Amino acid sequence: MRDLLPDFVLVPASRNLESQGKITTTGLLGKLLRPLIKQIIVAEGAVSAAELKKQIRLGVAQRITDVQDAMREQLNNPFLKLDHEVDVDPLQGIQVPIVMSDERVDEIPIENRGAGVQNSFILALFRTYAKHETPNFILAIEEPENSLNPSAQSEMRWAMQDLSRTSQ
């Protein structure tokens, strides 16, 4: 029955990348990366742990590149760059700390950036999730324009309109 219902994702008005940026069942980054990781594990079967880690790192790198491309478009900033490390630990799980650089700053953790950048990051996660995982989800985002300047609000509107073509 769970497969018949759309996936529901809520982003409250008070954004928290501490929760949305973790690979958990409820965090948005987790929703984006967990299906990929499951697919890799199933496809790889009993392959060595080192090969499995390599495949997970490659898959995560592609998703982060897609998030970076979405953020560049949303913020109209071709200099924006997302870097990440993937730590795969059988006991601790998978950690993917993400840092952002652009023409003004280098390697600031995404959760330490301003609210407008964090909002854009969350929207980019949604767009990447819709692109790779499922067209069957409902996005509920409170005050999406929160902390965005007028041009960024316009970009967010276009991004959400694009997202609404395949999702609710």
Side-chain angles (χ1 to χ4, degrees):
M1 171 124 174
R2 172 85 173 112
D3 295 338
L4 299 176
L5 298 173
D7 196 7
F8 181 81
V9 182
L10 170 67
V11 178
S14 60
R15 313 290 193 257
N16 181 354
L17 281 185
E18 284 295 318
S19 64
Q20 293 298 326
K22 296 212 183 297
I23 301 180
T24 63
T25 56
T26 57
L28 190 52
L29 189 59
K31 286 183 178 284
L32 173 64
L33 298 179
R34 285 172 56 94
L36 165 75
I37 293 165
K38 181 179 178 184
Q39 175 187 359
I40 290 169
I41 291 170
V42 169
E44 294 299 317
V47 176
S48 74
E51 183 60 28
L52 195 57
K53 287 179 183 181
K54 178 182 171 190
Q55 291 298 321
I56 289 171
R57 284 186 178 106
L58 289 172
V60 168
Q62 180 57 55
R63 295 296 198 275
I64 297 299
T65 298
D66 290 347
V67 171
Q68 173 183 278
D69 292 345
M71 284 188 71
R72 283 179 175 174
E73 180 183 324
Q74 289 163 202
L75 296 174
N76 196 22
N77 184 350
F79 302 107
L80 185 143
K81 185 171 193 273
L82 296 178
D83 288 313
H84 68 285
E85 290 290 326
V86 179
D87 182 23
V88 181
D89 183 306
L91 299 176
Q92 299 296 321
I94 300 172
Q95 304 296 320
V96 184
I98 298 172
V99 296
M100 184 180 140
S101 302
D102 60 22
E103 69 278 9
R104 294 178 297 253
V105 296
D106 285 328
E107 298 187 350
I108 303 292
I110 194 78
E111 62 271 10
N112 292 347
R113 295 299 304 254
V117 170
Q118 290 185 20
N119 286 349
S120 183
F121 179 74
I122 288 173
L123 182 62
L125 286 174
F126 276 115
R127 293 176 71 194
T128 305
Y129 179 73
K131 175 181 175 182
H132 288 285
E133 302 312 328
T134 179
N136 191 21
F137 79 96
I138 297 172
L139 163 62
I141 184 167
E142 294 178 345
E143 302 177 18
E145 76 289 350
N146 219 5
S147 302
L148 295 178
N149 65 46
S151 65
Q153 288 178 13
S154 179
E155 290 296 327
M156 178 169 281
R157 184 189 76 145
W158 290 113
M160 292 181 81
Q161 192 172 22
D162 183 46
L163 185 61
S164 71
R165 289 187 177 94
T166 59
S167 305
Q168 294 186 38

